[in-house]
């Protein structure tokens, strides 16, 4: 009897072992091979941009990409390009690398994005910030910078003395993008001082503080008591000159006001950080479309410090509460469309 029981027990144990080793349905994850345990590959999102240097426009995009990667878990790739040829070469290299989304960070990337999107429409998805291209599979985000520049111009007119009628401004180049800034700035000043005159200089480089400072001192010596900083990384030189000479100035893209330099009285906001985060959010949540969009004061990405956005630096004593409220009312009028700056004249037709 004991032999029979022992035999039965042996049979039961063997069946149990076979069941545990066999591949019947209901197996656990412990039986998966290493290959089966691997997670799906992370998405890759690349930012194709100019050399960052001290350009807050570019630095903000880089920060937006990195912060989005922390939130969504993709692999961020930042590709800085030293010249025009590098944009196309690097764009093609990103295609070879198998990047899922390529974001062109600035108009300099426009030609390269347009080419690779046309040649490789199915290799990746494409976006472009601060410009528009013909390829229909590229999502383009543009801005109405003239709206923020208008608010800066009003502040410039208010903080200067009544008899100060000459205003300066320093830009990177005299292109279509620059015209939006210059037009808005002039219109804002002339809304308060209709007979104002202007001096514009161009550094020809996105990172040239020395040349920007030289131009700023020249403009000050010609009589400008407010000099608008719009020379990207060169603005640092303008700020230095403002502190040394005692004229008012403004920054661009992010809040560059600071208690350490009270002569920086405002900054024109152009929120590229929020733009990158918006594009990534749409892409990672499957809400992606290639519809182009244009943003301004109404959308919250364009504005001016102390008017539409809070500032780190103090409001200058020369800007009264009544005057600041008038600038804030202008911002509201832009939002509602009562003040229309979207339809600009061509530069050659402007008087």
């Amino acid at each position: 009897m004991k032999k029979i029981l022992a035999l039965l027990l042996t049979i039961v144990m063997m069946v149990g072992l076979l069941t545990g080793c066999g591949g019947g349905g209901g197996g656990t994850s412990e039986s998966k091979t290493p290959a089966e345990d691997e997670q799906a590959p992370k998405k890759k999102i690349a930012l194709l941009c100019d050399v960052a240097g001290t350009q807050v426009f570019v630095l903000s995009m880089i920060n937006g990409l990195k912060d989005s990667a922390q939130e969504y878990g993709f692999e961020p790739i930042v590709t800085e390009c030293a010249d025009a040829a590098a944009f196309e070469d690097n764009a093609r290299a990103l295609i070879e690398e198998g990047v899922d989304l390529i974001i062109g960070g600035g108009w300099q990337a426009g030609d390269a994005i347009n080419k690779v999107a046309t040649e490789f429409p199915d290799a990746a998805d494409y976006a472009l910030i601060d410009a528009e291209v013909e390829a229909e599979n590229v999502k383009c985000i543009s801005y109405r910078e003239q709206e923020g520049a208008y608010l800066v111009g009003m502040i410039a007119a208010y903080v200067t003395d009544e008899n100060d009628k000459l205003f300066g401004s320093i830009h990177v180049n005299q292109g279509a993008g620059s015209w939006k800034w210059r037009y808005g700035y002039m219109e804002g000043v002339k809304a308060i001082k209709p007979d104002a005159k202007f001096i514009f200089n161009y550094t020809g480089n996105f990172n040239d503080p020395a040349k920007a400072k030289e131009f700023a001192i020249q403009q000050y010596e010609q009589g400008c008591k407010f000099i608008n900083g719009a020379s990207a990384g060169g603005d640092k030189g303008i700020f230095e000159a403002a502190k040394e000479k005692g004229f008012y100035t403004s920054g661009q893209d992010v809040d560059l006001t600071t208690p350490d330099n009270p002569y920086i009285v405002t900054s024109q906001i152009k929120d590229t950080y929020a733009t990158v985060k918006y594009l990534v959010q749409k892409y990672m949540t499957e809400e992606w479309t290639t519809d182009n969009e244009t943003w301004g004061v109404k959308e919250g990405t364009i504005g001016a410090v102390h008017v539409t956005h809070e500032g780190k630096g103090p409001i200058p004593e020369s800007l009264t509460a009544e005057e600041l409220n008038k600038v804030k009312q202008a911002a509201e009028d832009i939002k509602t469309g009562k003040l229309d700056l979207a339809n600009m004249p061509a530069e050659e037709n402007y008087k």
Side-chain angles (χ1 to χ4, degrees):
M1 185 68 176
K2 289 182 180 179
K3 290 182 179 179
I4 295 172
L5 290 173
L7 180 60
L8 290 172
L9 181 60
T10 300
I11 293 171
V12 169
M13 291 176 66
M14 290 178 66
V15 171
L17 287 170
L18 288 170
T19 303
C21 295
T28 66
S29 61
E30 295 177 352
S31 66
K32 289 184 178 180
T33 65
E36 291 171 327
D37 279 335
E38 291 181 1
Q39 296 181 350
K42 287 184 177 181
K43 285 188 178 295
K44 296 180 180 180
I45 299 181
L47 176 66
L48 186 70
C49 58
D50 192 17
V51 175
T54 57
Q55 292 190 70
V56 291
F57 175 88
V58 178
L59 293 170
S60 294
M61 290 190 291
I62 292 173
N63 290 335
L65 185 70
K66 291 180 177 178
D67 287 352
S68 295
Q70 291 289 327
E71 184 176 355
Y72 292 103
F74 61 86
E75 179 184 345
I77 300 172
V78 177
T79 303
E80 299 182 24
C81 305
D83 52 42
F87 277 95
E88 184 172 345
D89 291 342
N90 288 330
R92 294 181 182 279
L94 291 171
I95 293 293
E96 290 290 332
E97 191 175 337
V99 169
D100 296 283
L101 171 64
I102 303 176
I103 301 173
W107 63 267
Q108 303 95 317
D111 287 343
I113 291 292
N114 193 55
K115 284 184 179 180
V116 296
T118 302
E119 293 181 27
F120 309 101
D122 301 320
D125 289 297
Y126 305 92
L128 180 62
I129 296 173
D130 205 25
E132 291 187 10
V133 292
E134 294 179 357
E136 295 183 356
N137 58 330
V138 179
K139 182 176 184 67
C140 300
I141 302 290
S142 301
Y143 306 96
R144 297 186 296 276
E145 294 97 337
Q146 65 270 25
E147 295 177 355
Y150 183 94
L151 303 176
V152 170
M154 288 186 70
I155 291 175
Y158 280 134
V159 298
T160 49
D161 292 339
E162 183 178 353
N163 294 326
D164 291 329
K165 301 297 176 65
L166 187 62
F167 293 82
S169 191
I170 300 170
H171 297 254
V172 174
N173 53 54
Q174 190 175 2
S178 166
W179 170 237
K180 289 193 287 185
W181 297 70
R182 289 180 282 125
Y183 168 75
Y185 174 60
M186 290 188 289
E187 286 295 287
V189 171
K190 291 196 291 186
I192 312 303
K193 297 180 176 180
D195 54 348
K197 303 297 181 183
F198 300 88
I199 301 174
F200 295 101
N201 288 119
Y202 308 93
T203 62
N205 189 295
F206 284 89
N207 281 296
D208 198 339
K211 183 176 285 188
K213 183 176 182 178
E214 181 183 348
F215 282 141
I217 291 173
Q218 290 175 4
Q219 291 184 1
Y220 170 74
E221 290 175 346
Q222 292 177 74
C224 297
K225 298 301 189 295
F226 189 102
I227 300 173
N228 181 31
S231 60
D235 287 354
K236 182 180 178 182
I238 301 171
F239 299 160
E240 290 177 359
K243 197 170 185 178
E244 292 173 10
K245 300 295 184 179
F247 61 82
Y248 289 123
T249 186
S250 58
Q252 63 173 336
D253 297 327
V254 299
D255 177 20
L256 295 174
T257 64
T258 170
D260 297 330
N261 189 344
Y263 295 99
I264 309 172
V265 296
T266 186
S267 280
Q268 178 173 334
I269 298 297
K270 185 175 179 179
D271 199 342
T272 55
Y273 174 90
T275 305
V276 169
K277 293 208 71 176
Y278 170 83
L279 289 170
V280 171
Q281 181 264 325
K282 291 295 183 184
Y283 191 74
M284 296 301 292
T285 57
E286 299 183 355
E287 297 178 5
W288 185 256
T289 72
T290 55
D291 296 338
N292 292 345
E293 300 182 41
T294 304
W295 298 346
V297 170
K298 181 178 180 180
E299 290 77 17
T301 49
I302 296 294
V305 169
H306 302 314
V307 182
T308 58
H309 294 68
E310 297 296 323
K312 298 187 295 292
I315 297 174
E317 293 181 1
S318 54
L319 182 64
T320 68
E322 181 182 0
E323 290 168 341
L324 183 57
N325 284 335
K326 289 180 180 179
V327 185
K328 290 182 177 180
Q329 183 58 55
E332 287 301 314
D333 290 344
I334 292 171
K335 287 182 182 179
T336 62
K338 182 178 179 180
L339 177 56
D340 181 14
L341 297 170
N343 298 308
M344 299 188 308
E347 183 172 359
E348 57 270 22
N349 297 328
Y350 181 75
K351 296 180 180 180

